[in-house]
Amino acid sequence: MVEELVIAVIAVICACGLYAMAAARVVKQYERGVVLRLGRLREGVRGPGFTTVVPFVDKLHKVNMQIVTMPVPAQDGITRDNVTVRVDAVIYFKVVDAADAVIRVEDYRFAVSQMAQTSLRSIIGKSDLDDLLSNREKLNQGLELMIDSPSIGWGVQIDRVEIKDVSLPETMKRSMARQAEADRERRARVINADAELQASKKLAEAAEQMSGQPAALQLRLLQTVVAVAAEKNSTLVLPFPVELLRFLERATPGEAAQAVKAVSGVAQASAPAAAETPASHGQDPAPSPEPYRSVEAPEPERDVQLGPRPGPESADEPEPELEPDPLRERLASPDPSSPARPHVQPHV
């Protein structure tokens, strides 16, 4: 009898131990427990620590309450200004209501991921390319509102959304580079023009100051010559003297005419040297015009039948010399100063 009682006590203790092991649950600090008893939600969420449930009756669902970092896959889209881009982002969210995260949505992680992708494509279509590149804070806020609106009913709170990268086609990158280069060139030209305007004003003031003292202009000219000569140049170019121009301005009309005549005489003296320039370069000089000379035409000679010329009677006897013909010599050796004439063979 005693043995049967001991065996029963041991059996009860073992059953209690097995029940305790089946009913014991541990909820971590960053988790919350949602209990479903026979499929029905139990009121109250189990906090962190040790807790028990009814074995085979209650089912405990643990929900992570930490902030979840989820990357959003890159999405291809067309902006409002018809530019094809590829944008990826990252989303930070956390569960604020464990019961709603278990009851209202099947898988809140997958739901948030799909909602983030859809919202990202939508925000791409509503924005311009310049906004995607330079105004990301505004786009991040709009994207956060678009994802947070439906996720509130899931017990999920969107903490932050960030657009990571915007990929552009290579043609668009080259176009943007050319645009930036043109804009910088435009600004450089504007700055250069502004500098020229300021320099012209200063030069006008300097000219006004120097007009009262002509020696100041001469000193400035000498300073310029010294500055040019300091560069070890082999050629030094001196500017046209301003005093000569002032002399011409102050001179009387008669003196000015004489000065102009002297200058024109120098130019005429240099004209022959300029005329000889083509010959010095290997070119044929233009023939100078020469007045025609009056040449009397020779009388036509009569045809004389000549027989065989008798030879000398002896080898020692010299041949008779012919009298020189002036017309024949003139035709054989023409005057080099006269224009070229065709060669005429005299008819005997």
Side-chain angles (χ1 to χ4, degrees):
M1 184 68 182
V2 176
E3 294 178 358
E4 294 176 357
L5 182 60
V6 172
I7 293 172
V9 170
I10 293 173
V12 171
I13 293 173
C14 291
C16 292
L18 293 174
Y19 179 81
M21 292 176 62
R25 295 291 187 274
V26 176
V27 180
K28 297 179 181 180
Q29 182 65 35
Y30 55 86
E31 294 177 342
R32 298 295 183 268
V34 179
V35 179
L36 298 177
R37 178 168 293 176
L38 297 176
R40 186 180 181 87
L41 178 63
R42 294 282 297 176
E43 295 181 0
V45 178
R46 305 293 176 88
F50 180 80
T51 184
T52 59
V53 295
V54 179
F56 308 107
V57 177
D58 295 341
K59 186 175 182 180
L60 179 66
H61 293 271
K62 297 179 181 180
V63 181
N64 192 342
M65 306 297 290
Q66 293 177 321
I67 296 178
V68 180
T69 303
M70 178 180 295
V72 181
Q75 302 297 316
D76 295 329
I78 300 177
T79 60
R80 190 167 57 182
D81 51 354
N82 298 327
V83 179
T84 303
V85 294
R86 185 179 181 87
V87 184
D88 56 351
V90 59
I91 182 172
Y92 303 89
F93 67 93
K94 64 180 177 180
V95 178
V96 293
D97 193 344
D100 291 341
V102 174
I103 300 300
R104 295 182 179 274
V105 64
E106 180 182 3
D107 187 354
Y108 66 90
R109 290 175 178 266
F110 181 74
V112 171
S113 176
Q114 295 299 316
M115 180 57 65
Q117 296 179 32
T118 305
S119 301
L120 183 58
R121 287 195 296 269
S122 178
I123 206 70
I124 290 173
K126 295 180 181 179
S127 305
D128 295 333
L129 179 61
D130 295 337
D131 295 336
L132 288 174
L133 297 176
S134 60
N135 196 11
R136 292 189 180 182
E137 292 295 334
K138 183 178 179 180
L139 296 180
N140 293 337
Q141 294 177 2
L143 188 59
E144 180 180 348
L145 291 176
M146 293 179 66
I147 302 174
D148 192 40
S149 299
S151 63
I152 292 177
W154 304 337
V156 178
Q157 179 183 357
I158 305 301
D159 188 66
R160 190 176 181 84
V161 181
E162 292 286 345
I163 295 177
K164 292 197 302 183
D165 188 21
V166 178
S167 300
L168 299 174
E170 293 297 329
T171 56
M172 181 56 62
K173 291 181 180 179
R174 290 193 293 268
S175 300
M176 293 176 66
R178 289 195 299 268
Q179 179 183 0
E181 183 179 358
D183 183 62
R184 290 184 178 276
E185 185 177 357
R186 177 185 63 84
R187 286 187 291 176
R189 290 183 179 179
V190 170
I191 294 173
N192 190 16
D194 190 12
E196 291 292 338
L197 177 60
Q198 295 179 6
S200 64
K201 292 181 180 179
K202 296 297 182 182
L203 289 175
E205 295 177 3
E208 184 178 359
Q209 292 292 332
M210 290 183 179
S211 61
Q213 297 292 335
L217 184 60
Q218 186 68 22
L219 292 176
R220 182 57 184 165
L221 177 61
L222 294 177
Q223 290 179 359
T224 304
V225 172
V226 171
V228 173
E231 298 295 334
K232 298 181 180 180
N233 295 328
S234 59
T235 304
L236 181 61
V237 180
L238 294 178
F240 190 78
V242 183
E243 288 75 7
L244 181 58
L245 297 179
R246 292 178 179 175
F247 171 74
L248 294 177
E249 291 177 358
R250 298 175 182 176
T252 60
E255 296 177 352
Q258 292 179 0
V260 172
K261 186 177 181 180
V263 174
S264 62
V266 174
Q268 291 179 1
S270 61
E276 295 177 0
T277 304
S280 61
H281 289 283
Q283 301 178 0
D284 296 336
S288 58
E290 182 177 337
Y292 293 97
R293 298 180 179 179
S294 59
V295 180
E296 296 180 0
E299 296 180 357
E301 298 180 358
R302 299 178 180 179
D303 296 338
V304 179
Q305 295 181 359
L306 299 178
R309 183 177 180 180
E313 297 179 357
S314 62
D316 298 333
E317 184 180 359
E319 295 181 1
E321 296 181 0
L322 297 178
E323 296 181 0
D325 189 2
L327 180 60
R328 181 178 301 175
E329 293 177 358
R330 185 172 183 180
L331 292 177
S333 59
D335 188 6
S337 61
S338 62
R341 296 185 179 86
H343 181 71
V344 180
Q345 182 67 28
H347 181 71
V348 179

